[in-house]
């Protein structure tokens, strides 16, 4: 059993949704969906980008978003994506070992953008834990 959330497994459980690999999505678009039964995903993505894009599009499908969404909805979907891909238990465990944001994101198997979305929406309890970790790092002489 994987310790990480697994959007590809979630996709397999949705037997009515297919992924179509495309080489014509305009950058920086990684993937889009019709909100019902298909996700178009760029062929040239790294595996971590595919994982994050898939989770994002699955949330659009889950919420029935069938057309282009406004920035408020996109921000909500990014927040949900980050929360699903990075549970708190993994977020803080990886934080203690990471030497940079990029390394932290890589150890969580997400993009730095998804990690940033997760950090932007910490719960009050998570914020408290983050402050404790920062204080502990300062005591050890790290940033």
């Amino acid at each position: 059993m994987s310790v990480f959330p697994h959007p590809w497994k979630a996709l397999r459980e949705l037997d009515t949704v297919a992924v179509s690999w495309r080489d014509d999505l305009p950058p920086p678009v990684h993937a889009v969906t019709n909100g019902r039964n298909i996700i178009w995903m760029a062929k040239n993505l790294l595996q971590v980008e595919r994982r994050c894009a898939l989770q994002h599009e699955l949330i659009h499908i889950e919420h029935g978003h069938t057309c282009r969404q406004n920035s408020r909805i996109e921000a909500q979907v990014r927040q949900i994506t980050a929360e699903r891909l990075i549970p708190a238990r993994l977020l803080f465990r990886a934080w203690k070992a990471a030497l940079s944001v990029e390394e932290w994101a890589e150890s969580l198997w997400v993009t730095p953008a998804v990690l940033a979305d997760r950090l932007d929406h910490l719960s009050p309890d998570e914020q408290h834990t983050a402050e404790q970790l920062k204080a502990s790092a300062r005591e050890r002489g790290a940033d």
Side-chain angles (χ1 to χ4, degrees):
M1 181 175 149
S2 174
V3 70
F4 292 100
H6 202 314
W8 293 101
K9 181 179 179 189
L11 175 66
R12 283 193 306 271
E13 293 170 0
L14 297 173
D15 58 357
T16 59
V17 179
V19 173
S20 174
W21 299 98
R22 307 294 301 239
D23 58 10
D24 60 350
L25 295 178
V29 175
H30 287 177
V32 294
T33 184
N34 65 0
R36 292 183 305 276
N37 61 357
I38 193 157
I39 297 169
W40 294 277
M41 192 171 303
K43 287 180 179 180
N44 64 343
L45 299 178
L46 299 172
Q47 184 60 32
V48 69
E49 294 169 323
R50 290 177 181 184
R51 180 175 182 270
C52 295
L54 177 63
Q55 182 64 70
H56 182 99
E57 298 309 324
L58 288 172
I59 291 166
H60 279 303
I61 291 170
E62 178 182 313
H63 287 88
H65 299 155
T66 58
C67 60
R68 187 176 191 153
Q69 301 302 307
N70 64 42
S71 60
R72 182 181 59 81
I73 296 295
E74 279 300 322
Q76 289 173 342
V77 170
R78 285 195 329 270
Q79 178 181 350
I80 295 167
T81 297
E83 289 170 349
R84 288 205 186 156
L85 290 176
I86 312 171
R89 72 183 193 286
L90 298 177
L91 176 71
F92 295 119
R93 185 182 313 149
W95 186 350
K96 293 175 186 177
L99 299 176
S100 68
V101 171
E102 292 77 16
E103 184 178 298
W104 190 7
E106 183 178 333
S107 71
L108 291 166
W109 204 16
V110 297
T111 63
V114 169
L115 176 57
D117 286 337
R118 183 66 173 91
L119 295 172
D120 286 345
H121 297 94
L122 296 175
S123 72
D125 285 344
E126 292 166 343
Q127 289 175 3
H128 178 71
T129 299
E131 290 304 319
Q132 288 178 320
L133 287 171
K134 287 178 189 176
S136 177
R138 279 192 298 271
E139 289 172 8
R140 290 190 321 268
D143 284 327

